Amino acid sequence: RIGVRMKITVETTVRALRSRVWNAYSNPDDILQWNAASDDWHTTRSTVDLRPGGKFCSRMEAKDGSFGFDFEGTYTRVEPERLIAYSFGDREATVEFLAAGDGAAGVTVRVTFDSEETHSVEQQRAGWQAILERFRRHVEGGD
């Protein structure tokens, strides 16, 4: 629903070593490769200071140049290869790196974030899930 703040969770399971998954999620060079919800968008710049109080910023732009914005915030909690928590504006998010639950090798990446009031929950969930699927393909070598 628009106008109501709630928690939204998306997740995917990445078939890779935990260290590789963690590094791909937190390395600016990797972020440039996967951080977009669709093929007509891309991340043109990324900075990461991965520590509590450290800042991050990803410049996201439409490839046709029609629109762009900075997705930026401050890390509030960092547990290497386990958890990243951050605030962005008046919202918060956590990224958990969990052992895959199906007994197979891999890492389940679960992102929980505060909704915003401009787009529907369904739109927000779909967008964040699309980014997470691009992340999975990147790590697994398909991007």
Side-chain angles (χ1 to χ4, degrees), residues 1 8 10 91 113-129:
R1 297 186 318 264
I8 300 172
V10 296
R91 299 160 64 201
F113 63 96
D114 292 332
S115 64
E116 46 95 350
E117 296 166 7
T118 309
H119 300 90
S120 73
V121 167
E122 294 75 21
Q123 287 173 312
Q124 293 174 70
R125 182 178 288 114
W128 286 59
Q129 185 70 50

Side-chain angles (χ1 to χ4, degrees), residues 15 42 55 80 87 100:
R15 303 291 174 208
H42 59 164
K55 308 268 189 215
S87 60

Side-chain angles (χ1 to χ4, degrees), residues 46-119:
S46 177
T47 58
V48 172
D49 182 8
L50 189 60
R51 61 182 175 82
K55 308 268 189 215
F56 67 87
C57 181
S58 290
R59 177 69 186 171
M60 303 175 84
E61 296 183 0
K63 287 183 178 176
D64 67 6
S66 62
F67 189 73
F69 65 94
D70 289 336
F71 181 76
E72 58 190 332
T74 304
Y75 296 108
T76 55
R77 206 166 130 210
V78 177
E79 297 175 22
E81 296 188 11
R82 294 178 45 113
L83 180 131
I84 298 170
Y86 59 90
S87 60
F88 56 115
D90 63 347
R91 299 160 64 201
E92 296 181 349
T94 58
V95 185
E96 298 170 274
F97 300 82
L98 308 163
D102 57 9
V107 178
T108 296
V109 180
R110 179 180 299 145
V111 182
T112 303
F113 63 96
D114 292 332
S115 64
E116 46 95 350
E117 296 166 7
T118 309
H119 300 90

